[in-house]
Amino acid sequence: MYYFVRYYRYIILLVSFLFILYGLLHILTKDAFFKAKYLVVQRHKEKKNRLLQFFILMIFLLNCVMIPQMERGYATAEISLNYPEASQGLNPNGTRYNQVDILNTEVLENTIEKGALKNVTPGNLKRTLSVWPRVQGSSENEDAYFISTQFVLSYSRDKDTMHLDGEKLTALAAEAYKEWFLRQYSDNVTALNLDFEEIEAEDYLDICEYLKKEAEKIGAYMKNMSDKESAFRSQANGETFQSVSSRAYKVSNVMVENLEAYVLENGLSKEIPTYMGKLGFKNAFLYFDALKADRASKNNLEAISLYEDDMARIVLVPTYDTDAQFYMSETRIGIDDFAADADSYSNQKTSLSGEIAFNNHVLNQLSQSSGSSKTNEKAEQLVIQIENELYRLAEEAKTLVAEYSTRQANEYMTITVDSWENRVGKTAVKILLYTAVFAVGIYSAAIALSLHDREERKKHSL
């Protein structure tokens, strides 16, 4: 059946042209043309003409069934890339665009899954689907270079896919590619994946530090998204990037700070001796780091005092400013680097000293611990409360980013499927054309046979 449908047009045309050829070989001999003209005029009076009309009607009805079947075996869809980088042959993230990805294995597998296609493999689809640029440039001449942003996805059925609707298949494949493209080049939300199981065994202050970093991570991510488009608002929860970012920083600056203050106020720790030993060990390293920073800062200041006066006299350069006023310009010298390093080491020493002071405060609070089972229970409740709030914020952030990425993808790519309704007119023309060719052929053959019969009767009468 597949081969009959596929080659039907060739069968009809071949039979029609054989009839026409047979007729022409007899009609165009000697004076047969004039006799044929007479027969055409008289033909409608003969009963045989009704038989020819019956055959033509049957072929017309067969064409009405077979030609639409043929047309449904072929379909196209146009994929247009609308983002600015597409005209340079790039993906939205700046990597090289490759049209081969339209028919990669993952896309074809998703096409089969989306359409619940039976008895079809990605290999079957790869044989029947093809892609090419709508406008093809030339690599031979620089003036003919062209980077296409429009691609045609074409389907041509074979015996393994003859049961599929071509229009539906191209639409499914194009949508599967669009979804794949979205996943590949939308914003990565893995940074919003939270997991607090690994900190359950940590001490309270370490948990505070971890929760603070997670909250600030969500806040920074949403702030970065807000810089892309501050006015975007979620249709699902009504949030904006800025509102989620503000709530995340509020968790860090209010909820986590309150938990930390409660822990310090009550001197809470899951293992007080162990944690105090850890802080003492940490302070020892911080103390040595602070000494190194202090020594490095003093060394740089001493270098400045040794060379500053001499170097400053050497590098004063006479010049004019924008108002044509004369002055002595100072250029950048090695003393500047010494000063910058001295300042950096001084700041480092101050920061380390602050950490040591904080750790000493914690040690003092732990040594005077007034913690009880109730205070520990309240601390655990506060931790769970903060974790739940961060989970909620992360989910809202993911929803917001997903909606934004979906909208961007719709702007990135446009898909236009050449529907069956658009081809009805062309199909009707083909039906009439093939029927007309067959009619010409069968009439030509019939006239030739009539001429032959007349010649035979004329010979017998003589």
Side-chain angles (χ1 to χ4, degrees):
M1 184 63 181
Y2 161 72
Y3 293 105
F4 181 68
V5 173
R6 177 167 183 175
Y7 298 111
Y8 174 77
R9 73 179 73 184
Y10 304 111
I11 295 171
I12 287 293
L13 291 176
L14 178 61
V15 171
S16 300
F17 283 117
L18 287 176
F19 283 156
I20 292 172
L21 182 61
Y22 176 79
L24 290 177
L25 289 175
H26 289 77
I27 294 173
L28 297 181
T29 57
K30 233 172 183 182
D31 60 344
F33 176 77
F34 298 100
K35 296 175 181 177
K37 183 178 180 182
Y38 170 78
L39 284 173
V40 170
V41 175
Q42 296 296 321
R43 186 96 193 138
H44 69 280
K45 299 179 181 179
E46 300 182 9
K47 293 182 179 180
K48 291 181 179 180
N49 195 44
R50 295 180 183 176
L51 184 59
L52 295 180
Q53 291 173 353
F54 174 76
F55 279 128
I56 293 170
L57 177 61
M58 290 298 101
I59 290 297
F60 172 75
L61 295 176
L62 187 59
N63 286 343
C64 290
V65 175
M66 299 304 297
I67 292 177
Q69 285 292 326
M70 289 165 42
E71 292 299 312
R72 286 186 176 276
Y74 302 90
T76 59
E78 185 176 303
I79 299 173
S80 302
L81 307 178
N82 305 320
Y83 53 91
E85 295 85 356
S87 60
Q88 304 171 27
L90 302 175
N91 292 309
N93 63 356
T95 58
R96 180 64 58 188
Y97 180 82
N98 192 346
Q99 72 182 54
V100 175
D101 290 331
I102 297 176
L103 295 179
N104 68 43
T105 303
E106 184 179 348
V107 169
L108 296 179
E109 288 175 347
N110 289 340
T111 300
I112 295 172
E113 184 178 347
K114 284 170 65 69
L117 305 180
K118 297 181 179 179
N119 303 321
V120 178
T121 66
N124 296 145
L125 296 186
K126 200 138 193 171
R127 287 197 306 271
T128 56
L129 292 169
S130 58
V131 177
W132 66 85
R134 185 172 183 83
V135 180
Q136 183 70 57
S138 173
S139 59
E140 297 178 359
N141 184 0
E142 186 174 348
D143 295 333
Y145 289 171
F146 182 81
I147 297 176
S148 181
T149 59
Q150 295 177 305
F151 300 90
V152 177
L153 175 63
S154 173
Y155 166 73
S156 177
R157 69 162 55 134
D158 63 10
K159 62 180 180 179
D160 294 321
T161 60
M162 65 176 297
H163 60 286
L164 301 179
D165 185 293
E167 179 185 335
K168 178 183 176 182
L169 180 61
T170 51
L172 286 172
E175 286 298 326
Y177 172 65
K178 187 175 182 178
E179 292 175 4
W180 177 87
F181 192 86
L182 169 62
R183 289 195 300 272
Q184 290 292 116
Y185 303 109
S186 61
D187 295 279
N188 189 342
V189 294
T190 54
L192 300 176
N193 294 333
L194 303 181
D195 184 8
F196 297 119
E197 290 185 3
E198 60 187 43
I199 63 168
E200 290 180 355
E202 299 294 328
D203 217 314
Y204 292 119
L205 288 177
D206 291 334
I207 291 175
C208 288
E209 184 179 356
Y210 184 85
L211 293 176
K212 191 177 188 69
K213 288 181 179 178
E214 291 298 290
E216 290 176 351
K217 182 173 67 176
I218 295 174
Y221 189 103
M222 289 292 99
K223 186 177 184 303
N224 182 59
M225 294 299 298
S226 179
D227 292 340
K228 292 182 179 181
E229 187 170 344
S230 59
F232 182 79
R233 184 178 295 274
S234 170
Q235 297 296 321
N237 53 37
E239 296 286 351
T240 65
F241 294 128
Q242 186 57 47
S243 67
V244 176
S245 177
S246 298
R247 287 168 58 196
Y249 281 117
K250 187 176 180 180
V251 170
S252 172
N253 297 330
V254 178
M255 297 182 71
V256 178
E257 291 289 346
N258 288 341
L259 172 62
E260 186 174 351
Y262 181 79
V263 170
L264 288 175
E265 180 183 356
N266 294 279
L268 300 182
S269 173
K270 295 180 179 180
E271 292 288 343
I272 291 180
T274 302
Y275 199 70
M276 290 181 69
K278 174 184 174 181
L279 289 178
F281 191 71
K282 186 176 181 181
N283 271 354
F285 281 97
L286 289 174
Y287 175 75
F288 286 116
D289 289 340
L291 284 179
K292 287 168 60 179
D294 180 61
R295 187 67 263 175
S297 177
K298 289 179 179 178
N299 286 341
N300 280 279
L301 291 174
E302 185 177 352
I304 292 172
S305 65
L306 291 174
Y307 299 105
E308 183 176 23
D309 293 338
D310 293 334
M311 291 293 292
R313 285 196 298 270
I314 294 172
V315 295
L316 290 175
V317 180
T319 188
Y320 290 91
D321 62 16
T322 55
D323 297 324
Q325 297 296 316
F326 177 81
Y327 74 103
M328 299 298 288
S329 171
E330 292 186 11
T331 61
R332 180 176 175 81
I333 58 177
I335 299 301
D336 300 327
D337 294 329
F338 287 141
D341 289 343
D343 184 60
S344 175
Y345 284 122
S346 177
N347 291 336
Q348 184 179 347
K349 175 194 171 185
T350 301
S351 176
L352 293 169
S353 298
E355 287 188 54
I356 293 172
F358 177 77
N359 288 341
N360 286 333
H361 173 65
V362 174
L363 286 169
N364 182 58
Q365 292 298 106
L366 291 176
S367 64
Q368 304 175 18
S369 175
S370 59
S372 64
S373 59
K374 289 185 177 181
T375 54
N376 281 13
E377 184 178 346
K378 184 177 179 180
E380 293 289 347
Q381 291 175 351
L382 290 174
V383 169
I384 293 173
Q385 182 181 352
I386 294 171
E387 289 178 351
N388 289 338
E389 181 62 21
L390 289 178
Y391 274 131
R392 184 161 49 250
L393 280 173
E395 290 305 313
E396 290 180 1
K398 288 179 183 179
T399 300
L400 193 55
V401 174
E403 289 185 31
Y404 176 76
S405 296
T406 300
R407 195 201 67 177
Q408 288 297 99
N410 290 331
E411 295 177 359
Y412 283 162
M413 189 179 298
T414 304
I415 296 172
T416 306
V417 180
D418 185 16
S419 66
W420 167 247
E421 288 77 9
N422 295 335
R423 291 183 285 157
V424 167
K426 294 179 180 179
T427 303
V429 169
K430 289 182 179 180
I431 291 172
L432 295 175
L433 179 62
Y434 290 148
T435 305
V437 172
F438 179 80
V440 171
I442 198 169
Y443 266 105
S444 300
I447 291 170
L449 285 173
S450 296
L451 284 173
H452 181 71
D453 289 344
R454 285 192 64 174
E455 291 294 331
E456 289 296 323
R457 287 197 301 269
K458 187 174 180 181
K459 289 180 182 178
H460 286 300
S461 65
L462 293 175

